[in-house]
Structures are given as structure tokens and as C-alpha cells.
Amino acid sequence: MARNPFKPTAGANPPLLVGRDVLVEEFLESIEDGPGAPGRITIFTGPRGIGKTVMLNTVAERVQSDHQWLVIDETATTGFVNRLTAASRVLLDPEAATRRRVKAVTLPAQLGGFELSDDPARPIGLREAAGALARRCEENGTGLLVTLDEVHSSSRDELRQFATAVQHLIREDREIAVAFAGLPAAVTELLNDEVTTFLRRAERHVLSDVPLAEASRALAETITANGRRIDPDALAVAARATGGYPFMIQLVGYQVWRKASGDHIDAEAARVGVEAARARLGSLVHETALAELSGVDRAFLSAMAHDDGPSRLQAIAGRLGKGLNYVSVYRARLLEAGMIAAAGRGKVDFAIPFLREYLREHAPE
């Protein structure tokens, strides 16, 4: 039996990436354009499951394969600046990883012969270590790409350190590029921080759902490439159920594949698979997203769930028994969190597929 090719796991690369080709090519062009190209600092943002981590993975793989750049992947959790500094030093001197204490890292004479001291009175920071690594890459005709996932406000101090180091390296015209990924609220805080204002000039891409035609292509090509066939009506059911939501493409594909009879996927398998995918989406995405919100945020969303389509702020205010100024504050919060999206003047809608149905199913009796 063929292995299920779909990957409904956070951050896992899908078998076929669709709807993002232009963004990937733009990033690669910035590498070709050299230091100073605006795309060399890029931020990917959007709601959960939209494919932010996949974009980081993809640009990293392409930069590495197409341009032979060195890539360091990190996550913005506590200690990431120290981890990046250590990684830079180990890459400069691989033997450092096997020694208990590194007294110095000296590059070969043909690479400049400069030295990084390990004197505790003068600790080596990220700027110095990454700068030395970038210079070594340049001597070999390449550069350094750092990807930083899950940018979060709780890492503000370290993000400031990181951004300051990157800013100095860019001013030195180093062959370096940085790609960030984070939820909208976290990215907004990063851009509004007084220390990291230069990041406002970064290329910022707000990822959204892909066209249903692209979702259909991802499902069909992945299924046929792995030895199965899917009926046209079954493909239509499956593609429509994804809503163009990248994570849902993988989840629907995974469940439809599981429900197939042999190597043939018919409409019934698609229908049952879609139901299973919707159930799993609730536990994998909706529960996690709602858990991080305040009680009033959740009440706002529950008030929206009464409507079959976009909700008017006036109606939400009435259901909550509050004034428009009050609900406008939470509208702004939920927009930044990527939970809702503007849907016309005075209207909002859910940004995460099937969140309306999830809230209705789990509404208190």
C-alpha cells in the first residue's frame, strides 16, 4: 500500500507548494540583486495554518540549492540569540563543538586571518560572530541566510538584539539575508518597536488562502503522482472543502486518502474524508487559536458565529450589549491576531476556515 503523501503537520513541507511561486521568486531575485535589495529582509505573516513556516523552509531550500548560500534556521524562543551566536561560531570553527572551552576561533590567513577571542571579559556577540561568518561566506562567493520562525512579543529583548546586529551587518554591505515569520499581532509589535524601526522597510507579505483552482491542482497532482486516481466530482468536493486554506489542503488530502477504497477515490470517500478533516481541524487549529484569546475576544467571535456570512459591527455590539467604540477595540485586536478579516465597511468575517462552524458546535447550551 502506498504511503499517505499528505502532511497535515505544522511546518511540514507539502508535497506540492501552490500559490506561492511569485513570493519565492521575489526572494531569490533579492539574493541575485546583492546587498541593499529590499527583499533581503522579508517578513511572512498571516493566521495559523496559512503556510508561514513552509515559506521559510522553501526560501531556505531554494537559496541553498540555487545559490549555495549557508542557511541557519532558528525559532524565536528564549535563548535564540545565544543559539545563533553559538551556531555561527561552530560553523566558523567546527572543532569548537567538540571542545569544552573555546579560547579562540581564528580563520585561515586566506580568509582574512581575523580572530574571535573567547575572553570572558569581552564576550563575543551575535553581530561579531555572524559578521565573521558572512565574511567567510563572501570569500567563497556565497552568503548567509538566517530564517527566524514564530516571532513573538515575549522575545522582544532578544528580537531587539537580533535586529540591531542585522542592521549593522546590512550597513556593512554584508552578503546576508533574513526571513522572519510570525502571527500578525507579533509582527505588528515588532515593527512598532522603537529599537527595530528599520524593519519597517522590510518586504512584508501577508499570506492568504490560495485560489481553489490551485488547491484542486495540489490535491490532484499529489494523488496521481502517488499511484491513485480521484474522480472529478470527488476532487471538486475535496477542493471546495479546503477553502483554499493551505493547512486544510493537506488535512483534507490526508483524510480523503485514508478513506479511499484501494487506489480509487470516489465521492463518498471524499465526503467522509472531508468530515474527518473538519473534525481534526478543530482540535489542531481552532482550539489552539482560541486558547490564546481573552474572554472578550472569544465572546466577540461567538457573536459573529450567529451570522452565516460577514458580520456587521452594529450587530455584534448589540449581541454583546456594548457600544461600537467598545467592540471596535476588540475588532482591532482580532484583526491583528489574524482571527478575523475586514469584509467591507463596518463588516468583519472569520479568517480561519470553519471557525464559525466550530464555535457553533461548541457554544454553551
Side-chain angles (χ1 to χ4, degrees):
M1 180 179 293
R3 178 175 292 180
N4 195 322
F6 293 96
K7 300 179 179 180
T9 302
N13 284 354
L16 177 64
L17 180 65
V18 294
R20 308 291 192 225
D21 294 347
V22 172
L23 299 183
V24 174
E25 292 305 317
E26 285 181 0
F27 192 86
L28 293 176
E29 287 173 5
S30 75
I31 300 300
E32 296 167 1
D33 290 342
R40 286 204 174 193
I41 304 178
T42 291
I43 302 172
F44 297 110
T45 188
R48 288 176 177 79
I50 207 68
K52 300 182 294 295
T53 301
V54 170
M55 285 301 299
L56 291 184
N57 295 343
T58 302
V59 297
E61 289 171 3
R62 289 291 303 277
V63 167
Q64 197 167 42
S65 64
D66 293 11
H67 297 280
Q68 290 73 54
W69 273 37
L70 182 65
V71 177
I72 302 178
D73 299 309
E74 251 302 342
T75 302
T77 52
T78 301
F80 82 86
V81 167
N82 286 338
R83 294 195 299 272
L84 282 172
T85 304
S88 298
R89 298 182 65 177
V90 168
L91 289 166
L92 280 166
D93 178 22
E95 292 183 5
T98 64
R99 299 204 293 267
R100 293 174 67 94
R101 182 178 179 183
V102 184
K103 293 186 178 180
V105 178
T106 306
L107 299 185
Q110 66 269 27
L111 296 182
F114 51 86
E115 183 175 280
L116 298 179
S117 169
D118 209 33
D119 181 355
R122 184 174 174 272
I124 300 305
L126 177 61
R127 175 185 170 186
E128 190 169 10
L133 187 57
R135 288 192 289 276
R136 171 173 283 187
C137 289
E138 290 165 14
E139 291 290 339
N140 287 280
T142 65
L144 172 64
L145 167 64
V146 178
T147 71
L148 190 63
D149 200 5
E150 296 184 16
V151 169
H152 199 278
S153 58
S154 63
S155 304
R156 181 176 300 175
D157 288 343
E158 289 194 68
L159 285 169
R160 287 171 173 170
Q161 294 177 52
F162 177 72
T164 300
V166 170
Q167 183 177 20
H168 281 289
L169 295 176
I170 289 172
R171 288 171 59 186
E172 295 169 8
D173 280 341
R174 299 268 71 92
E175 286 286 0
I176 187 169
V178 180
F180 299 84
L183 292 170
V187 168
T188 297
E189 285 198 27
L190 176 65
L191 298 180
N192 289 338
D193 188 277
E194 59 183 12
V195 178
T196 60
T197 53
F198 90 100
L199 291 177
R200 295 174 192 169
R201 299 188 293 276
E203 291 285 341
R204 183 179 179 183
H205 299 298
V206 181
L207 303 180
S208 58
D209 298 335
V210 302
L212 287 185
E214 289 289 278
S216 179
R217 181 169 73 88
L219 291 167
E221 292 187 15
T222 302
I223 288 169
T224 55
N226 286 275
R228 290 188 177 181
R229 60 187 178 88
I230 181 168
D231 292 341
D233 55 345
L235 179 60
V237 169
R240 188 166 55 250
T242 69
Y245 183 45
F247 183 76
M248 195 62 167
I249 294 173
Q250 297 305 306
L251 191 54
V252 167
Y254 183 84
Q255 294 295 343
V256 167
W257 181 278
R258 291 186 64 221
K259 304 301 180 182
S261 176
D263 292 333
H264 175 219
I265 300 174
D266 59 15
E268 178 61 17
R271 184 189 65 79
V272 176
V274 165
E275 289 181 359
R278 286 176 176 170
R280 289 293 294 154
L281 184 67
S283 59
L284 293 172
V285 176
H286 298 146
E287 287 182 9
T288 302
L290 292 170
E292 296 182 358
L293 302 177
S294 72
V296 179
D297 289 326
R298 292 193 293 272
F300 185 108
L301 295 174
S302 295
M304 286 177 59
H306 288 272
D307 299 312
D308 293 329
S311 301
R312 292 184 177 278
L313 285 181
Q314 188 73 51
I316 296 170
R319 291 165 190 157
L320 294 177
K322 301 291 184 179
L324 276 177
N325 288 341
Y326 180 90
V327 299
S328 293
V329 171
Y330 290 92
R331 171 188 178 275
R333 285 166 51 97
L334 292 167
L335 283 170
E336 287 190 359
M339 299 296 296
I340 63 174
R345 186 175 179 82
K347 294 181 180 180
V348 291
D349 204 352
F350 290 102
I352 301 178
F354 306 111
L355 181 55
R356 175 184 287 106
E357 291 80 359
Y358 178 86
L359 289 168
R360 287 176 176 177
E361 292 171 4
H362 294 80
E365 297 181 358

